Amino acid sequence: MSADNTVALVRNDLPAVRRPVLLLTATTLTVCILALDLRQSLDGAVAVLYIAVVLVVAPLGGRYVIASGIATGLLTTAAFLIGHLSHPTNGAYSRFVVSLVAIGITTLLSLRDRSSRTTLGEQARILELSHDTVIIRSNEDVILYWNVGAELLYGWARHEALGKKSSELLRCKYDDLDVDECLRTDGHWSGEVVRTRRDGTRLVLASRWLLRRDPEGRPVGVIESSSDLTARLRSDTERLASERRYRAIFDSAGFAMWESDWSQTVGTVLHAAPPGDLRPWLMSHPEIVGPAIQSGVIRHANQAAADLFGVRHREELAGANLCGRYLESGAGAFSTILAALADGETSVEAETRLKTFHGRTVDIVLRVTLLPEGRNWSHVLVMAFDVTERNEARARFEQASAELAHAGRVSMLGQLAASIAHEVNQPLTAIINYAKSATRWVDREEPRLDEVEKCLSSIVSNGTRAAEVIGRVRSLARKAEPQAEDVDLLDLIDGALSITRREAAAQAVQVVWERPVAPVPKVRADRVQIQQVLVNLIINGIQAMASSTRSARELCVYVKVLPAGDVAVHVRDCGTGFPDGQGTMIFEPFFTTKSDGMGMGLSICRTIIEAGGGTIWAQNNEGAGATVAFSLPACTVLRGVAATHI
Ligand code: ADP
């Protein structure tokens, strides 16, 4: 097969310009043959030439072949009838029949040839579509056919490759003897060959060779198909290296890691879950989700996991499950994990507690990742971080903070002792006076019970006032665990102002409380601690004005609802302002400018506010004095509350 033939085979379609030429030739030929046939002298002998017309239109397709066969048959018949009907001879009849048979056979053969060409053409097209390279070579190794796959892989265009020797063009390397032997005996060979692309890069190919033979069975060349192994080999190598890296990281990680198979257990739970949004259902059924996750089978674990669970070798964990290892108290974590993973997150973190095989309780943060091959929950990577020490340290810190806050309150109350005593003394004095005067009204000859009643009611109200002051002081002095509750900041400000009223009066400070009329959202905090913060800020403001030489002494308290929904309380004074202007130093522990100060008040305030998720800040005012403020997140956002000073 020549190179041109092969390419022509592939390009089976007839060029558009050839169609009219063939049709014109066929028509001219038909007219000439008909004219000759009608000449009586030739006696019908030329009709057989119509087969040339059928052969001319054959490349145009089956329809043209059939049409030309029928048309020439009809013309032959018509010419016979015109010329011989009146004086038929035996010779004319036989020539007529022979002509018709010849036309019929030619038509049928043309149709068959056409159909096998179509089939061959389609097969050739398939070769073009193949991503593999297909090359046909002669016995002399000359390239006769070169498909698109070969163009793409080797970088040589078809016209550049055809006619070249493949061993020279592609600098092929393979075991010649082995290949030749195989081809000779089996007629085919397959194996790896190394070739060079046009740009000089080396390729490793998986190649299949087939011996081509002529009709007599003599070898005439080779047809070969090859696919590039280079990329596959490279990606195999990379995958292997990546697997080794993963294994090394897995084994040597300093924290516990294990890979589990949840496909049986979790898959069943998810299958049984009602249709619709899974998350609420999973969150409300920890008693189903927890056991399902815990009974997932561990595929393998690292040594750190073995250490965490208290087993000697990590192999002991392989094939085991963790049923009964987790504590009930952390069961909700599994619902959180499963809900997030079922929602499409690939990685999720949750805290829980487990009991080791030695019975030790460990607080752990689980980080669960659905590995790419584990979409059916078959490969779940679990990392566990032991946070027991961190939690214990946090608990110790919280306790120390609470104790410090308590000490701060007691010390603050010590500073306020004189004012508080006076605050309580006032109603007590009033009570005594009202009691004396009631006695006098009773001792009269005609006791005035109406006056006695007035005195008694004044005694009650003053007694209540004194009890309120003592109650507030007691609650501040109380030592109890901080307890978060929904707190109305306005009430707390009322209380703090009442405790500090006397101190303000003693320093001739006028207190302005811009109590908002609009509702203010409650905040979630510990009531006593926030009260402590408020009293601290107010006392600091009063003291800053006491040490100032300015005549204006006004302390203003106001509230703002911030855009994010937080509630902020501001305490503005006309005092000395901060030494550094920014008010950052003042929150540091032991920073004080007062001779009898401890410098712990604002540091404690910051700890309290930040523990409640809020912020505290301070700045000098544009005119005189400073403003110290804090904000806390609101429990609920009230509609229509403007984010402004209210
Ligand atoms: P102490 O009151 O014991 O000094 P604080 O932590 O409450 O401790 O305050 C630290 C310092 O911050 C104070 O000594 C003072 O210098 C400064 N300070 C606090 N509030 C104000 C204020 N409203 N105006 C000016 N300075 C203030």
Side-chain angles (χ1 to χ4, degrees):
M1 190 190 295
S2 77
D4 287 346
N5 278 349
T6 319
V7 176
L9 184 79
V10 173
R11 301 212 179 104
N12 194 37
D13 299 333
L14 194 69
V17 285
R18 277 189 64 194
R19 190 178 303 247
V21 174
L22 289 180
L23 284 175
L24 189 67
T25 311
T27 315
T28 316
L29 213 57
T30 308
V31 171
C32 294
I33 295 168
L34 182 64
L36 278 176
D37 200 12
L38 288 175
R39 288 188 61 177
Q40 299 299 317
S41 59
L42 293 175
D43 207 14
V46 290
V48 76
L49 294 179
Y50 279 127
I51 58 172
V53 176
V54 176
L55 291 175
V56 167
V57 297
L60 295 177
R63 278 185 297 135
Y64 288 91
V65 172
I66 294 170
S68 66
I70 294 171
T72 52
L74 289 175
L75 288 174
T76 304
T77 312
F80 172 76
L81 292 177
I82 294 167
H84 302 96
L85 197 58
S86 49
H87 51 279
T89 63
N90 282 346
Y93 270 123
S94 21
R95 278 190 292 277
F96 169 62
V97 172
V98 168
S99 298
L100 283 185
V101 170
I103 291 169
I105 289 170
T106 310
T107 306
L108 286 176
L109 286 177
S110 295
L111 283 174
R112 231 180 61 190
D113 176 57
R114 179 73 203 167
S115 125
S116 37
R117 271 173 167 277
T118 308
T119 312
L120 274 174
E122 272 161 10
Q123 285 168 354
R125 272 202 202 94
I126 290 169
L127 292 183
E128 288 299 288
L129 287 177
S130 167
H131 286 293
D132 290 350
T133 66
V134 179
I135 302 175
I136 299 176
R137 307 194 309 258
S138 70
N139 267 344
E140 292 73 37
D141 193 31
V142 173
I143 298 168
L144 304 175
Y145 174 71
W146 183 261
N147 79 337
V148 176
E151 285 189 334
L152 292 174
L153 186 65
Y154 297 121
W156 297 100
R158 176 178 285 139
H159 69 271
E160 293 170 313
L162 294 179
K164 303 270 172 28
K165 284 196 165 200
S166 85
S167 52
E168 286 168 12
L169 188 75
L170 303 171
R171 283 175 275 160
C172 203
K173 262 198 193 165
Y174 57 92
D175 188 349
D176 306 27
L177 290 177
D178 179 38
V179 176
D180 291 346
E181 176 64 26
C182 230
L183 284 174
R184 210 176 22 255
T185 50
D186 304 339
H188 59 84
W189 171 84
S190 60
E192 275 184 21
V193 292
V194 178
R195 284 182 169 152
T196 309
R197 301 180 67 197
R198 184 180 201 156
D199 62 10
T201 48
R202 303 290 275 166
L203 294 169
V204 182
L205 304 157
S207 210
R208 290 166 299 283
W209 295 14
L210 190 71
L211 195 65
R212 295 170 55 229
R213 293 182 191 275
D214 66 9
E216 281 76 44
R218 286 180 304 238
V220 289
V222 167
I223 176 163
E224 65 147 90
S225 159
S226 309
S227 59
D228 184 11
L229 281 184
T230 324
R232 204 184 307 159
L233 285 177
R234 198 182 305 128
S235 77
D236 280 356
T237 318
E238 278 169 8
R239 206 188 53 240
L240 218 66
S242 147
E243 272 172 18
R244 280 206 203 102
R245 255 196 322 271
Y246 171 75
R247 180 81 24 223
I249 294 169
F250 187 90
D251 290 342
S252 63
F255 49 87
M257 264 205 260
W258 60 93
E259 230 185 87
S260 279
D261 179 358
W262 292 358
S263 55
Q264 296 301 315
T265 54
V266 166
T268 319
V269 168
L270 294 178
H271 199 67
D277 192 1
L278 265 180
R279 185 175 279 269
W281 187 84
L282 293 173
M283 295 308 289
S284 57
H285 289 84
E287 74 292 350
I288 298 179
V289 179
I293 288 187
Q294 292 171 34
S295 45
V297 178
I298 296 180
R299 289 175 175 274
H300 42 254
N302 66 359
Q303 191 53 42
D307 297 343
L308 176 73
F309 286 104
V311 296
R312 194 186 276 257
H313 302 295
R314 62 195 181 122
E315 288 75 18
E316 291 172 48
L317 289 175
N321 62 46
L322 296 174
C323 289
R325 293 267 68 83
Y326 292 98
L327 299 186
E328 282 287 309
S329 54
F334 296 113
S335 293
T336 311
I337 290 171
L338 194 56
L341 294 179
D343 251 9
E345 286 174 37
T346 46
S347 207
V348 58
E349 220 172 79
E351 192 168 336
T352 182
R353 310 186 87 190
L354 61 80
K355 207 162 63 210
T356 68
F357 286 89
H358 298 318
R360 189 168 71 93
T361 302
V362 188
D363 291 349
I364 49 165
V365 169
L366 290 179
R367 182 162 191 86
V368 183
T369 306
L370 213 51
L371 295 177
E373 64 268 51
R375 289 282 153 223
N376 58 350
W377 306 95
S378 59
H379 288 78
V380 183
L381 178 68
V382 184
M383 298 181 221
F385 305 93
D386 184 346
V387 290
T388 319
E389 272 182 31
R390 186 201 71 179
N391 285 359
E392 282 169 3
R394 188 190 285 166
R396 280 198 298 275
F397 173 74
E398 277 167 8
Q399 195 188 348
S401 297
E403 277 168 9
L404 189 65
H406 177 249
R409 286 198 297 275
V410 173
S411 125
M412 193 175 68
L413 287 173
Q415 288 176 42
L416 287 173
S419 330
I420 293 166
H422 190 273
E423 194 77 357
V424 179
N425 207 28
Q426 246 186 358
L428 286 181
T429 313
I431 288 169
I432 293 167
N433 288 339
Y434 281 118
K436 280 181 183 165
S437 121
T439 315
R440 277 197 300 277
W441 288 116
V442 172
D443 284 348
R444 282 196 173 191
E445 274 180 26
E446 278 183 31
R448 290 280 305 275
L449 290 182
D450 54 334
E451 291 298 336
V452 172
E453 199 186 337
K454 277 185 198 159
C455 289
L456 287 177
S457 92
S458 296
I459 288 171
V460 170
S461 67
N462 277 286
T464 312
R465 213 177 102 202
E468 268 173 12
V469 174
I470 289 168
R472 281 199 188 106
V473 171
R474 273 187 56 190
S475 85
L476 270 182
R478 175 169 62 99
K479 187 179 180 195
E481 286 284 299
Q483 252 176 9
E485 55 186 314
D486 290 357
V487 177
D488 184 351
L489 278 175
L490 306 188
D491 281 354
L492 292 189
I493 296 171
D494 286 340
L497 288 176
S498 143
I499 288 177
T500 53
R501 182 171 40 219
R502 171 71 202 158
E503 187 69 12
Q507 302 300 338
V509 170
Q510 196 201 341
V511 177
V512 180
W513 168 207
E514 296 180 359
R515 201 177 201 286
V517 193
V520 170
K522 290 190 173 177
V523 296
R524 188 138 190 93
D526 178 82
R527 173 181 298 278
V528 176
Q529 290 194 335
I530 300 304
Q531 181 89 287
Q532 173 179 358
V533 173
L534 286 165
V535 172
N536 226 313
L537 301 191
I538 294 167
I539 296 284
N540 273 347
I542 293 171
Q543 289 176 349
M545 286 188 280
S547 55
S548 147
T549 48
R550 288 173 209 278
S551 53
R553 290 192 170 189
E554 186 184 272
L555 181 112
C556 179
V557 182
Y558 58 91
V559 175
K560 275 182 182 181
V561 178
L562 303 180
D566 295 2
V567 186
V569 179
H570 295 246
V571 179
R572 191 182 63 218
D573 61 59
C574 316
T576 52
F578 306 116
D580 64 348
Q582 301 298 314
T584 40
M585 290 287 290
I586 59 169
F587 295 105
E588 296 300 322
F590 305 112
F591 174 83
T592 181
T593 53
K594 299 169 195 166
S595 56
D596 56 347
M598 283 247 301
M600 285 305 291
L602 288 177
S603 155
I604 294 170
C605 290
R606 182 169 66 177
T607 309
I608 292 173
I609 296 298
E610 287 179 355
T615 339
I616 186 164
W617 67 97
Q619 61 188 43
N620 280 339
N621 299 333
E622 285 205 345
T627 300
V628 186
F630 67 87
S631 68
L632 284 167
C635 310
T636 47
V637 178
L638 291 183
R639 285 178 188 284
V641 177
T644 46
H645 181 155
I646 50 176

